[in-house]
Amino acid sequence: MTLVADLVVVGASEVLTMAGPSTPLGTTGAGGAEARLGRIPKGAVAAHSGRIVWVGPERELGDSVVLGPDAARIDARGGAVLPGLVDCHTHLVFAGDRSTEFARKMAGESYQSIAASGGGIMSSVRATRAATEEALLALASERALRLRSHGVTTVECKSGYGLELEAELRCLRVGRRLGEIGAHPEREGTPPAYGGIVRTTTTFLGAHVVPAEHRSDRARYVDEICERMIPAVASEGLADACDVYLDEGAFDHDEARRILSTARHAGLALRLHAGQFRDLGGGELAAELGALSADHLEALTDTGLAAMSRAGVVGVLLPGAWRTLRQTPPDASRFRAAGLAMAIATDCNPGTSPTTDPWLCAALAVRDAGLTLEEALLGVTIEAARAAGLPDRGALRPGALADLAVFPHADARALPYWLGDVHASHVVLGGRPISGA
Ligand SMILES: [Zn+2]
C-alpha cells in the first residue's frame, strides 16, 4: 500500500526513532539504550495531517510514500533527525529576576537561608502576583522560543509562583495559551505574546512552598489547596497534572499525600519533586499513588528508586539545579541497578536552574551523573514524554505526532557531547516546518 505524505524529511545522516526494541528492566545500560535509539542510517520520515505515516531508509521512501501536491520537503543536509524534544519539568511561567541573590548563593549562603530571609521562591511569587496574564505570556513565550531553538516541541509548564487561587489560575492559563497550536499563527513583526510556539502540558504546583502569609498557619494553606484550588483548577480544565514539592522547607509526607490524593480524585495525573535535599519517602509515595514521575532525586535512597521502578514511575534528573546548588549529583549506576527509567529536563526556573537549554542539561547529566550518550538522548525524548504522560510523542513511529527536529551534526551522539549551545537547523511541529527550511 502506498502512503500519501504532505511532509518528508530527506538527506539525513541518521534518523533516531527512539522506538527501538526495549530490553528487560535492569539491562538498560549502554547496550540496551543503543538498541532503543532505533537508529536508521540515511533514514527518512514522512508525515500527513500532522502525524508520522512512515519512517525508514531513504532508499525505500519512493516505493512507500507518494507526495501530495503541496507537500513540504525538508533537506537535513547530512544532519541527524530526532523526535522533537520534550522538556518534562519547567517552571516557565514567572516574572522577576533573581540574579542578585545568585551572588549570595555563590558566596556560600544556603538555599534555605536565602528563602528564610524573603528571597528564593517567595521573591518570584511577589513579582509573578504583580504581573498581568499578558505580561506573563510574553515572558513565557520568549523562553519557549529559546527552548524550541534547541529542538524542544513540548514543554511541561508548572504553576507555583502564584500560591493564591487567582494567581495560580493565571499562570496555568498562560501555560495553556502558550500551547494553543494553530490558534495564533506566528507572524513576522507581531508582539512576542502569542501561543502556538510549542505544545504544552500544564501542572498545578500550588504546593511549591507555603506562602509567607501562611507560615504560622500552614494547615490552612493545605486546606486551601485541597478545598478551593484543586477543585477550581480541575473544573476549569487548566491543568493536566498536580505536583507537590516534598522536601525539607516545603511540604511533608502527610501533606503531600493529602494533596496528591485530592488531585487524583479530581482526575489529575500526579508528579512529585522528591529527594532534592532529603529522602522523605517521595519515591515510595510516587509509586503508591501511581505518579507519572518523581523529579530531582539527588538524595533518594535505593529503596525509593526500587519502588519507583516497580511502579513504572520515571525518574527525572535536573542537572541545572544540582549544579547551581553545588550538590552531589545522582549516580546513574544506581538508577540502572534499580531498572529505573531516566528522563532529563531543564527545570527552567529563576532560582536554581535559569536555563532554557536541554542539551546543556543532557551534557551535564552525562558528565555529572554518568549517563551514557545514548541514555541522554533517550532522556530528553522518549523517557521525557513518558514522564510527561504523553505517549503520542518522543518517538518517530507511524501514528505519533509529526514533531521532530533536525540537527546539523552527522552523529547524534554529538548533541550531548557539546556543552550546550546545540541548535536545531529545522523544527517541525504537527507536520508544519516552523523554522529553517
Ligand atoms: Zn522544579
Side-chain angles (χ1 to χ4, degrees), residues 405-419:
V406 181
F407 295 93
H409 298 269
D411 183 340
R413 287 175 301 185
L415 307 177
Y417 152 73
W418 282 99
L419 257 174

Side-chain angles (χ1 to χ4, degrees), residues 2 20 42 74 80 112 129 143 172 190 194 201 214 235 325 338 399 421:
T2 310
K42 298 198 182 305
I74 290 177
Q112 289 88 345
R129 283 178 178 171
R143 292 168 198 140
L172 291 170
T190 53
Y194 48 72
T201 178
H214 280 288
S235 73
L325 296 169
D421 205 24

Side-chain angles (χ1 to χ4, degrees), residues 89 91 158 273 296 318 347 349:
H89 182 137
H91 305 254
K158 300 179 197 297
H273 284 66
H296 280 296
L318 305 172
D347 191 18
N349 79 70

Side-chain angles (χ1 to χ4, degrees), residues 86-91 156 158 243 270-276 286 291-300 305 308 312-322 330 335 340-348 361 365 369 371 379-380 382-389:
V86 175
D87 194 353
C88 64
H89 182 137
T90 84
H91 305 254
E156 187 258 8
K158 300 179 197 297
D243 193 344
L270 308 180
R271 58 181 92 250
L272 205 53
H273 284 66
Q276 184 179 14
L292 293 168
S293 71
D295 307 24
H296 280 296
L297 314 176
E298 287 84 348
L300 219 71
L305 297 179
M308 285 170 60
V313 180
V314 178
V316 179
L317 305 180
L318 305 172
W322 76 58
F335 285 61
L340 185 61
M342 294 179 276
I344 302 163
T346 64
D347 191 18
C348 174
C361 296
L371 275 77
V380 293
I382 185 70
E383 301 296 16
R386 283 185 56 208

Side-chain angles (χ1 to χ4, degrees), residues 108-368:
E109 191 170 345
S110 77
Y111 178 89
Q112 289 88 345
S113 156
I114 290 170
S117 68
I121 290 171
M122 278 314 293
S123 87
S124 296
V125 168
R126 286 190 294 275
T128 304
R129 283 178 178 171
T132 64
E133 186 172 319
E134 295 308 313
L136 290 170
L137 182 59
L139 290 165
S141 299
E142 189 259 332
R143 292 168 198 140
L145 277 174
R146 291 210 300 269
L147 284 166
R148 195 181 67 186
S149 76
H150 297 292
V152 173
T153 50
T154 295
V155 181
E156 187 258 8
C157 298
K158 300 179 197 297
S159 66
Y161 291 117
L163 306 186
E164 62 187 15
L165 181 61
E166 281 312 316
E168 283 293 300
L169 296 177
R170 186 157 70 239
C171 292
L172 291 170
R173 239 177 259 125
V174 168
R176 279 280 190 252
R177 288 177 65 190
L178 191 61
E180 284 172 359
I181 302 292
H184 309 279
E186 277 180 46
R187 296 181 298 272
E188 288 299 320
T190 53
Y194 48 72
I197 295 166
V198 290
R199 299 181 198 272
T200 59
T201 178
T202 56
T203 301
F204 169 64
L205 180 61
H208 197 183
V209 71
V210 177
E213 65 270 22
H214 280 288
R215 285 281 153 76
S216 60
D217 187 16
R218 55 185 296 131
R220 261 189 63 196
Y221 185 63
V222 176
D223 289 345
E224 170 79 7
I225 290 174
C226 292
E227 292 163 17
R228 283 188 71 217
M229 291 187 182
I230 290 174
V233 164
S235 73
E236 293 197 31
L238 287 174
D240 304 306
C242 178
D243 193 344
V244 173
Y245 199 150
L246 169 56
D247 218 314
E248 269 182 345
F251 291 83
D252 68 25
H253 193 274
D254 289 348
E255 292 165 341
R257 176 192 294 279
R258 180 176 166 213
I259 294 164
L260 292 174
S261 301
T262 305
R264 191 169 63 167
H265 282 294
L268 300 177
L270 308 180
R271 58 181 92 250
L272 205 53
H273 284 66
Q276 184 179 14
F277 302 108
R278 268 192 67 193
D279 187 346
L280 300 181
E284 291 87 338
L285 186 64
E288 177 197 326
L289 297 177
L292 293 168
S293 71
D295 307 24
H296 280 296
L297 314 176
E298 287 84 348
L300 219 71
T301 61
D302 288 342
T303 324
L305 297 179
M308 285 170 60
S309 172
R310 279 194 300 275
V313 180
V314 178
V316 179
L317 305 180
L318 305 172
W322 76 58
R323 269 297 171 116
T324 301
L325 296 169
R326 295 176 169 174
Q327 288 182 285
T328 305
D331 177 354
S333 67
R334 291 177 54 227
F335 285 61
R336 269 182 226 122
L340 185 61
M342 294 179 276
I344 302 163
T346 64
D347 191 18
C348 174
N349 79 70
T352 57
S353 195
T355 179
T356 47
D357 188 342
W359 293 115
L360 173 62
C361 296
L364 293 175
V366 170
R367 285 158 175 82
D368 295 349

Side-chain angles (χ1 to χ4, degrees), residues 28-54:
T28 51
E34 170 71 43
R36 293 186 60 211
L37 293 180
R39 180 173 178 271
I40 305 173
K42 298 198 182 305
V45 183
H48 189 262
S49 299
R51 298 268 171 178
I52 306 280
V53 292
W54 184 89

